[in-house]
């Protein structure tokens, strides 16, 4: 029998300084069998905690510390069962979103399935009268206050528990903990004994037993509490967004919508290839329970989450692995034909896949927030955005630490110069900089605060607060307390709704063309087939064109010299940071250089990429072909390369890869070459469907630049994005032979305007001119020109 450690990890945001893994490792070294997560008003660290308990063979108890909004009183809520977990999520959500939150009333409302540990006698009395499941919390040592509580508890027949609340894994973390306290409270780091209280770090169970020897019965009572808290973590399965339309099932509705869309895309007489692929995909989608997901995404694309709302289809780019789906293409979620471009559906969905894939949708950058607002309103209480954990990075850590040391802004601002001189060996850092650097290094990767994911949205059939706590981000949108990895671990299926400035460029350019009375039909627009566009792409004349305007990309286009769409798809994926050697080899092979597959088993696997691994799915396909991996194992290898904890997991995959290759007769030299090519996908890389989706947008931009340069360059500058500065784009417009007209109070619109051979500067480029003033200028001159 042991006391129950209540850990306050670094997810308590500046109130704990150790990760769940560090806490659990420390507990295991002392032979604890059970440990409880009790972060302050949050469950952000839940999935890291559960993984750490599994790694250290510990039994997890899930909970949280909940604080009152108006007073210093707090309680520890421990989960007994599934209902208790849902109530804890509700309780934390209320604490984070209700400006009139009152702890005792909230505990009365959300008490089912929870055990409440409390050290406040008035609050305990209140909760006892309302039949709340309470335990008197005696903390880390026997104290006079604890003795009084113990006597009162026994008189009231309330159990007690020894549960030390831990904010750091070891005593050596005291200085870091004190620094974090100084940063959080905006006070100066003093190095006093504030963090020397031994109750703050985890100690051996024997020591706690000695401290409570005078109350020998309290440890057994703690053991009883632990046994009551049997909930080991939520098990939701895959949580799909809800969809309903009368008596029609999602399965039948999706089938009907997919075939209707296929007739629109391919004509009424569908080919055998289209029907076969549709049937294959629909069978898998239905078997995995994804029918409602596709329908909800279609509704969002059509009307911001409201299928009944009549507004025109927005300009979108459906991308990611979902672009390999013919069903998505027929629903107009994506715009690239998977059959024409040989896109691999199983990279997106396959029956062996246990995690939840998602569909990424780009909207024009200035339309995306409106779409998000509509989705969150339409699915109110069932939808929220995913969180992002903002962690200390080196520069931020140094600045915050130096500020806590009381250094003036001017000296802190010179830190880059000091660091550079130190690296060059030209100087020793003056005091207190060595200590600042030492402490700042310990801060790196510790969570600072949570923010909003760029576009991830979760939509659930039951109210979202039953699955995960929800809070309101600084920008005013609801967010769950989990990042994308934790949401995926929980089975919450994410929809990514993102902003893309180039879609705004294309939209505005076409609107400008039509506004001038010229016809522009998009229905059968195939920019990748246009000879002039292909010629410009092959020459690298793509400045201003989405994704293919960087110097490196334009140089690759010039070296390739093809302008071919399929080659642009390949180039968009191979030009990743870790693949420079393969880029050079690709160009050599493209121009007829001799090559052969590293192993005969790769024939028909890497033929279209000249024997090189270019797309993410190539990693999986090669592992299957030469190492005998199952498709599920191979997809796991591909996925692990983007994970934070990939080092240890890759070691196991490499061992299996080596064994499989040996069994298949693959030589050691070939095994090493294949593995190194796989490792070039570490971090940033694309699947083919994603590259093809981006290449489609790239070609649309390149076509518009080729045939409507004035309108295009005006749209590029007006949308204020791209790889280069406004000055660079103006210079490009001049190189194209366009004349730049100066701003004019009577002629300039808010945005830049292109027409024939001229580009007129927009009012938005005039320094210090507010948006309201711009609108007033344009409005007033309609009545009387200036």
């Amino acid at each position: 029998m042991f006391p129950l450690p209540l850990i306050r990890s670094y997810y308590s945001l500046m109130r704990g300084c150790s990760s769940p893994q560090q806490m659990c490792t420390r507990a295991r070294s002392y032979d604890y069998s059970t440990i409880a997560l009790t972060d302050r008003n949050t469950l952000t660290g839940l999935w890291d905690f559960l993984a750490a308990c599994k790694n250290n063979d510990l039994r997890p108890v899930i909970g949280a510390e909940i604080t009152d909004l108006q007073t210093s009183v707090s309680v520890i809520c421990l989960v007994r069962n599934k209902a208790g977990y849902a109530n804890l999520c509700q309780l934390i959500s209320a604490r984070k979103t209700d400006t009139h939150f009152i702890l005792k009333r909230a505990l009365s409302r959300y008490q089912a399935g929870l055990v409440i540990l409390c050290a406040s006698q008035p609050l305990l009395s209140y909760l006892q009268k309302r039949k709340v499941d309470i335990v008197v919390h005696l903390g880390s040592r026997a104290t006079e206050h604890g003795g009084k509580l113990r006597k009162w508890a026994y008189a009231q027949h309330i159990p007690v528990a020894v549960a030390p609340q831990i904010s750091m894994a070891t005593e050596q973390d005291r200085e870091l903990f004190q620094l974090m306290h100084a940063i959080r409270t905006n006070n100066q780091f003093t190095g006093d004994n504030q963090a020397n209280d031994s109750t703050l770090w985890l100690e051996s169970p024997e020591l706690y037993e000695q401290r409570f020897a005078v109350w020998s019965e309290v440890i057994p009572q703690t053991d009883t509490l632990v046994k009551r808290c049997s909930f080991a973590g939520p098990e939701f399965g895959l949580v799909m967004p809800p969809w309903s339309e009368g008596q029609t099932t999602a399965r039948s509705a999706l089938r009907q919508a997919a075939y209707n869309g296929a007739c629109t895309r391919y004509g009424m007489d569908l080919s055998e290839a289209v029907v076969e692929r549709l049937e294959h995909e629909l069978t898998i989608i239905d078997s995995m329970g994804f029918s409602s997901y596709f329908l909800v995404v279609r509704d969002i694309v059509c009307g911001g989450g409201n299928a009944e709302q009549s507004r025109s289809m927005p300009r979108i780019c459906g991308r990611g692995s979902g672009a390999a789906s013919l069903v998505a293409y027929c629903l107009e979620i994506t715009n690239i034909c998977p059959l024409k471009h040989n896109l691999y559906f199983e990279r997106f969905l396959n029956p062996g896949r246990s995690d939840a894939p998602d569909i990424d949708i780009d909207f024009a950058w200035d339309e995306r927030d409106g779409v998000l607002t509509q989705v969150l309103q339409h699915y109110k209480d069932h939808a929220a955005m995913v969180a992002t954990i903002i962690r200390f990075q080196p520069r931020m850590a140094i600045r915050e630490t130096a500020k806590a040391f009381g250094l003036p802004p001017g000296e802190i601002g010179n830190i880059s110069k000091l660091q550079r001189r130190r690296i060059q060996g030209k100087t020793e850092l003056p005091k207190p900089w060595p200590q600042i650097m030492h402490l700042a290094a310990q801060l790196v990767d510790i969570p600072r605060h949570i923010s909003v994911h760029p576009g991830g949205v979760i939509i659930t059939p039951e109210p979202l607060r039953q699955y995960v706590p929800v809070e309101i981000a600084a920008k005013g949108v609801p967010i769950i307390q989990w990042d994308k990895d934790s949401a995926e671990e929980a089975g919450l299926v994410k929809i990514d709704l993102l902003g893309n400035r180039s879609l705004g460029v294309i939209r505005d350019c076409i609107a400008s063309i039509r506004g001038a009375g010229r016809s522009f039909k998009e229905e059968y627009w195939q920019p990748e087939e246009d000879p002039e566009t292909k010629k410009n792409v092959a020459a690298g004349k793509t400045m201003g064109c989405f994704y293919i305007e960087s110097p490196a990309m334009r140089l690759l286009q010039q070296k390739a010299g093809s302008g071919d769409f399929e080659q642009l798809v390949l180039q968009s994926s191979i030009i990743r940071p870790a693949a420079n050697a393969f880029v050079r080899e690709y160009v050599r092979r493209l121009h007829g250089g001799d090559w052969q597959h590293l192993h005969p088993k790769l024939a028909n696997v890497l033929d279209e990429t000249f024997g090189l691994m270019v797309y993410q799915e190539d990693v999986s396909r090669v592992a299957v072909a030469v190492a005998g991996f199952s498709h599920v194992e191979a997809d796991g290898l591909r996925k692990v390369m983007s994970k934070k904890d990939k080092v240890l997991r890759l070691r196991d995959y490499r061992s299996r890869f080596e064994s499989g290759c040996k069994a298949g007769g693959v030589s050691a030299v070939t095994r090493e070459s294949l593995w190194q090519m796989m490792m070039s996908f570490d971090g940033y890389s694309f699947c083919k469907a994603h590259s093809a989706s981006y290449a489609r947008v790239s070609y649309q931009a390149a076509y518009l630049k080729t045939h409507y340069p004035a309108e295009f360059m005006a749209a590029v500058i007006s949308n204020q994005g791209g790889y280069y500065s406004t000055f660079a784009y103006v210079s490009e417009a001049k190189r194209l032979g366009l004349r730049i007209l100066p701003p004019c109070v009577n002629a300039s619109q808010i945005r830049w305007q292109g027409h024939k051979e001229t580009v007129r500067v927009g009012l938005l480029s005039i320094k210090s001119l507010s948006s309201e003033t711009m609108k007033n200028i344009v409005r007033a001159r309609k009545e009387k020109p200036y």
Side-chain angles (χ1 to χ4, degrees), residues 36 65 95 109 121 135 225 227-228 238 265 279 305 373 399 402 420 432 442 522 589 611 673 675 702 739 755 761 775:
E65 177 187 13
R95 173 61 180 80
R109 180 177 181 183
Q121 186 174 325
V135 172
L225 166 65
K227 290 176 180 176
R228 293 180 62 212
L238 287 181
R265 291 286 198 184
E279 287 298 325
T373 298
R399 285 186 171 276
R420 187 162 55 250
Q442 297 177 57
E522 292 190 71
R589 295 182 183 188
S673 296
W675 186 259
R739 188 159 57 97
H755 182 64
V761 176
K775 294 176 184 176

Side-chain angles (χ1 to χ4, degrees), residues 390-438:
I390 306 299
R391 298 173 184 268
F392 278 101
Q393 299 304 308
R395 192 170 182 82
M396 182 202 301
I398 293 169
R399 285 186 171 276
E400 295 256 25
T401 304
K403 182 181 175 184
F405 271 68
L407 297 187
E411 185 173 352
I412 297 173
N414 289 329
I415 185 57
S416 295
K417 186 186 298 182
L418 283 170
Q419 283 181 294
R420 187 162 55 250
R421 289 178 65 84
R422 186 186 187 194
I423 292 169
Q424 295 169 350
K426 294 181 179 179
T427 185
E428 289 287 331
L429 290 177
K431 290 183 178 181
W433 280 106
Q435 187 183 8
I436 289 173
M437 293 298 189
H438 172 71

Side-chain angles (χ1 to χ4, degrees), residues 365 508 713-721 750-753 764:
W365 68 279
D508 292 348
M713 294 310 299
V716 168
I717 298 170
S718 293
N719 280 278
Q720 300 177 295
I750 293 176
R751 294 174 173 243
W752 291 51
Q753 299 295 312
L764 63 81

Side-chain angles (χ1 to χ4, degrees), residues 352-370:
R353 184 169 182 170
S354 59
D355 61 312
D358 51 33
I359 294 177
D360 302 333
I361 309 292
D362 281 351
F363 294 84
W365 68 279
D366 51 358
E367 296 176 7
R368 179 260 194 180
D369 283 353

Side-chain angles (χ1 to χ4, degrees), residues 37 42-43 62-66 76-79 82-94 110 112 114 465 469:
L37 176 72
T42 186
L43 282 179
I62 295 169
E65 177 187 13
I66 310 296
I76 302 295
C77 299
L78 300 181
V79 175
K82 184 178 178 180
Y85 173 78
N87 272 325
L88 181 59
C89 291
Q90 295 269 22
L91 190 57
I92 296 173
S93 299
Y110 300 115
L114 293 175
R465 294 181 180 197

Side-chain angles (χ1 to χ4, degrees), residues 344 601 618-641 649-664 675 678:
Y344 182 50
K601 290 182 179 179
D618 290 343
V619 172
S620 304
R621 296 168 71 197
V622 167
V624 170
V626 300
F629 277 38
S630 69
H631 288 284
V632 175
E633 289 175 321
D635 196 52
L637 169 59
R638 173 195 63 79
K639 285 198 66 185
V640 79
M641 291 181 182
R649 296 165 70 181
L650 271 178
R651 191 179 304 162
D652 176 55
Y653 274 110
R654 175 154 197 180
S655 175
R656 288 151 62 187
F657 181 79
E658 289 278 346
S659 299
C661 285
K662 281 182 183 178
W675 186 259
M678 288 178 172

Side-chain angles (χ1 to χ4, degrees), residues 150 227 286 323 414 420 516 532 563 609 635 645 681 692 762:
R150 173 174 164 270
K227 290 176 180 176
D286 179 51
N414 289 329
R420 187 162 55 250
E532 287 299 310
T609 57
D635 196 52
D645 57 347
F681 287 83

